[in-house]
Amino acid sequence: PLAEQKKIASILTSVDQVIEKTESEISKLQDLKKGMMQQLLTQGIGHTQFKDSPVGKIPVGWEVMVLSTLSDKIGDGLHATPKYVESSDYHFINGNNLSNGEIVFNATTKNVPESEYRKHFIQLGDNSILISINGTIGNIAKYRNESVILGKSAGYINLKKSSQIDYIFYLLQSQKISDYFT
């Protein structure tokens, strides 16, 4: 009946409006986060004295460190095509599988047999960050024990246990680093 159709349409319109408002709020929060990251990662908290450095002005007491000194190993993935299978618990990923801090498996993600996984295994762990290194450069993800083979457009950074993974994870997403990549 027409009256019921109008009610259903009204309910769904209300839901769409809530979704739109929520998406707008998320966008505003993402902008706020970017601004906070820029300020916190370049000025720290409560610093009043700054010094010149190779990366610009930084708080006195901070030092610029090369990423290789904070990591045990930096590398990239396989520069060949592995054998694929229709279904498997092991996946072949590239930089396009890195999004919003996570490894994303989708319909185009290829599966590999366990033998290929073992053949091309790279030791990753709780202190590993993955980064897209060509195509869309700079997408970042924390490794969370997924069973993956990295393709050539996915790099990895195995940080030393003494390194603060969350800080470096955010630093790699900062505007200064993004500008460096482009």
Side-chain angles (χ1 to χ4, degrees):
L2 184 58
E4 191 171 353
Q5 290 177 23
K6 286 181 178 181
K7 255 187 182 173
I8 290 170
S10 174
I11 291 168
L12 294 175
T13 298
S14 294
V15 170
D16 281 341
Q17 290 171 343
V18 170
I19 289 170
E20 190 175 305
K21 185 176 180 182
T22 302
E23 287 174 345
S24 174
E25 292 299 317
I26 289 171
S27 179
K28 289 176 187 175
L29 288 171
Q30 287 172 333
D31 289 344
L32 176 64
K33 178 184 172 187
K34 282 181 185 176
M36 287 176 67
M37 283 176 55
Q38 181 67 18
Q39 183 176 355
L40 291 170
L41 294 171
T42 58
Q43 298 176 12
I45 300 170
H47 296 278
T48 57
Q49 295 182 328
F50 297 88
K51 65 181 180 181
D52 289 325
S53 79
V55 297
K57 290 205 178 287
I58 60 172
V60 170
W62 282 23
E63 61 182 290
V64 175
M65 298 183 76
V66 178
L67 188 57
S68 61
T69 64
L70 302 172
S71 58
D72 291 322
K73 186 158 187 185
I74 299 174
D76 65 351
L78 180 65
H79 288 250
T81 303
K83 295 175 189 168
Y84 299 126
V85 294
E86 188 68 32
S87 179
S88 170
D89 292 332
Y90 306 95
H91 308 283
F92 181 71
I93 65 163
N94 275 297
N96 60 354
N97 293 100
L98 309 178
S99 180
N100 296 320
E102 298 179 348
I103 298 173
V104 177
F105 302 112
N106 54 42
T108 62
T109 305
K110 303 283 188 187
N111 299 304
V112 295
E114 183 178 359
S115 59
E116 284 291 291
Y117 171 74
R118 296 204 183 287
K119 179 179 177 183
H120 302 292
F121 178 79
I122 295 173
Q123 183 67 50
L124 302 170
D126 293 341
N127 257 23
S128 296
I129 295 174
L130 305 178
I131 184 168
S132 59
I133 57 175
N134 65 29
T136 302
I137 297 175
N139 288 343
I140 307 283
K142 289 182 188 175
Y143 177 73
R144 304 236 191 262
N145 297 311
E146 298 92 343
S147 298
V148 295
I149 295 175
L150 303 180
K152 66 182 177 182
S153 69
Y156 65 93
I157 304 164
N158 287 340
L159 296 167
K160 293 180 178 178
K161 293 295 179 191
S162 60
S163 298
Q164 173 43 263
I165 186 171
D166 290 330
Y167 179 81
I168 294 171
F169 175 78
Y170 287 119
L171 186 64
L172 290 171
Q173 294 178 73
S174 71
Q175 190 61 50
K176 190 169 276 291
I177 298 295
S178 179
D179 290 347
Y180 176 78
F181 288 147
T182 56

